[in-house]
Each structure stands twice: as structure tokens, then as C-alpha cells.
């Protein structure tokens, strides 16, 4: 039986993945700040033995305590999947710096907090998987994408370093979705091509969690185009994205 800790499970991709993995027979530990939402979700999941563990990933000590609690109470965990995230559309030159700090603390520092706690938990077991959710927005800087894109670039870099340092003993993955219909993307005021539902995203992720790939990205038609755009020479790249300004 696979035991999976999903952080950021109260909404969006994390919530949808909880239902998908429960249908596939996994036992889940669900974390997010919203305890009420977690309890409601846990009560609707297939299977038994699911737990909730309310958590704010910006609190490093709380994340460490949560990992220790899992080790003591559950005994082991096979996967640690981090989907907690924050997003507010902003343009450089007109940033809400208080909001910028909150996004950085959630998306990037939160990912570091989860990584350190997960390493302590999984290295003690000698096995396990850590998957961090970034975004295709982190492939290369985009107009109107700050500070979100910068934090997701940081998460991609973090996951890459993590794979290089610990990939021999642990399964490390980065998850880079395209546009997914969530409360975060609902904030956007522009057309989002090839958008998928959280349920479609969850299936795409679940299908590849046990693969040997480092990166899980979807939908492929969109993410492959994003990859191509990201490797263009500087002059061509800036010409291509100028229309987004």
C-alpha cells in the first residue's frame, strides 16, 4: 500500500490529485492551511485510513514538526507531493511588494521548507519520492508574469539540484503544468490556450508518478511549444514575447 503526503490538498490540482490517487488505492495524508476543507475532502475519498494534517508551509518549524508526526504516527510515507502555491497577476513597476513577499514565501521558501522536512523523513527510511510543483512559467521570464514566474523558476532549479544531490537514493520529480482551471488562473484576464481541468491534470500526474522521468509536464501540445520558446536565442525570444506586453 502506497502512502502519499499531499501538501496543498485543499483545492485545485492538489485536491483533484487526492481523489485520483485514492481511486488508485493509495492512502493519503492531506495538508493545507484550510483544515475544514481538508476534513471535507478526506471524508469523500475512496478507501480508508486517510488523515488530515493542517499546515502552513511558510512556517519551517511547523513543516518539520509535521514530518516528525508522520514518522511517529504513520511510520512511513512513500511520496511527498508539494502543490501549495500563491499567485497574483502583477507587472514590474507596479508591484504590491507585500503580496510579492507572500508569493515568494509560499512558492519558493515553502518549497525549501517542504524539501528539508521531506529529506529528513525519507532519508531515514532509505527510500521515497519528492515531487515539487512548479510551472511552465518558470522555463524563462515572461512579460506580466512576476513574481510568480520567478518563484517557479526557483522551484525548477531547486528540484534539479535535489535530483542531482539525492537522485541516487530518492525519486525526485518536478511537475510543470500548463494552464489549469483553478481559483488561481481565474485571476487572469487574458486567454489561456489549451487549458485543462484539475481532474485532467491529476490524471496526467498520477500516470507518471511511477515513471523514471524527472519532469512531468502537460498538456504536451502546449508544454512542448513552451519548451521550444524557452530555448530560442535571446533576440528571437524577446521578439516572440513582445506581443504579450
Amino acid at each position: 500500500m502506497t502512502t502519499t503526503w499531499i501538501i496543498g490538498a485543499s483545492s485545485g490540482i492538489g485536491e483533484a490529485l487526492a481523489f485520483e490517487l485514492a481511486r488508485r488505492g493509495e492512502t493519503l495524508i492531506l495538508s493545507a492551511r484550510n483544515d475544514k476543507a481538508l476534513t471535507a475532502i478526506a471524508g469523500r475519498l475512496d478507501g480508508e485510513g486517510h488523515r488530515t494534517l493542517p499546515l502552513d508551509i511558510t512556517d519551517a518549524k511547523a513543516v518539520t514538526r509535521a514530518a516528525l508526526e508522520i514518522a511517529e504516527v504513520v511510520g512511513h510515507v512513500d511520496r511527498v507531493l508539494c502543490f501549495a502555491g500563491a499567485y497574483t497577476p502583477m507587472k514590474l513597476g507596479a508591484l504590491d511588494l507585500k503580496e510579492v513577499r507572500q508569493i515568494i514565501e509560499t512558492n519558493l521558501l515553502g518549497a525549501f521548507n517542504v524539501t528539508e522536512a521531506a529529506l529528513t523523513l525519507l532519508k531515514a527510511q532509505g527510500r521515497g519520492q519528492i515531487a515539487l510543483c512548479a510551472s511552465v512559467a518558470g522555463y524563462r521570464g515572461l512579460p506580466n508574469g512576476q513574481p510568480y514566474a520567478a518563484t517557479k523558476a526557483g522551484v525548477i532549479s531547486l528540484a534539479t539540484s535535489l535530483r542531482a544531490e539525492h537522485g541516487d537514493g530518492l525519486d525526485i520529480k518536478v511537475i510543470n503544468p500548463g494552464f489549469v482551471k483553478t481559483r488561481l488562473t481565474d485571476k487572469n484576464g487574458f486567454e489561456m490556450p489549451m487549458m485543462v481541468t484539475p481532474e485532467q491534470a491529476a490524471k496526467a500526474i498520477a500516470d507518471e508518478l511511477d515513471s523514471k522521468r524527472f519532469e512531468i509536464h502537460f498538456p504536451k501540445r502546449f508544454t512542448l511549444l513552451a519548451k521550444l520558446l524557452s530555448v530560442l536565442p535571446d533576440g528571437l525570444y524577446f521578439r516572440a514575447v513582445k506581443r504579450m506586453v
Side-chain angles (χ1 to χ4, degrees), residues 7 40 122 183 189 196-197 213:
I7 301 165
L122 300 183
R183 60 180 176 78
V196 299
T197 66
R213 298 181 183 89

Side-chain angles (χ1 to χ4, degrees), residues 5-18 29-34 37-38 41 53-57 80-86 106 114 131 133 182-184:
W5 184 16
I6 303 178
I7 301 165
S10 63
S11 62
I13 299 174
E15 177 186 2
L17 187 61
I29 304 161
L30 306 180
S31 288
R33 289 179 297 178
N34 192 332
L38 292 177
I41 291 165
L53 186 59
L55 180 65
D56 181 350
I57 66 168
V80 179
L81 312 178
C82 184
F83 290 91
T106 301
V114 169
C133 188
T182 68
R183 60 180 176 78
L184 297 184

Side-chain angles (χ1 to χ4, degrees), residues 55-66:
L55 180 65
D56 181 350
I57 66 168
T58 66
D59 185 339
K61 291 182 179 179
V63 179
T64 299
R65 286 195 301 268

Side-chain angles (χ1 to χ4, degrees), residues 14-70:
E15 177 186 2
L17 187 61
F19 285 101
E20 182 66 31
L21 294 181
R23 279 193 292 270
R24 299 187 186 209
E26 299 193 15
T27 301
L28 305 179
I29 304 161
L30 306 180
S31 288
R33 289 179 297 178
N34 192 332
D35 188 13
K36 185 176 179 180
L38 292 177
T39 301
I41 291 165
R44 293 160 48 211
L45 294 175
D46 292 342
E48 299 179 350
H50 307 299
R51 299 173 181 269
T52 63
L53 186 59
L55 180 65
D56 181 350
I57 66 168
T58 66
D59 185 339
K61 291 182 179 179
V63 179
T64 299
R65 286 195 301 268
L68 292 174
E69 182 177 338
I70 289 171

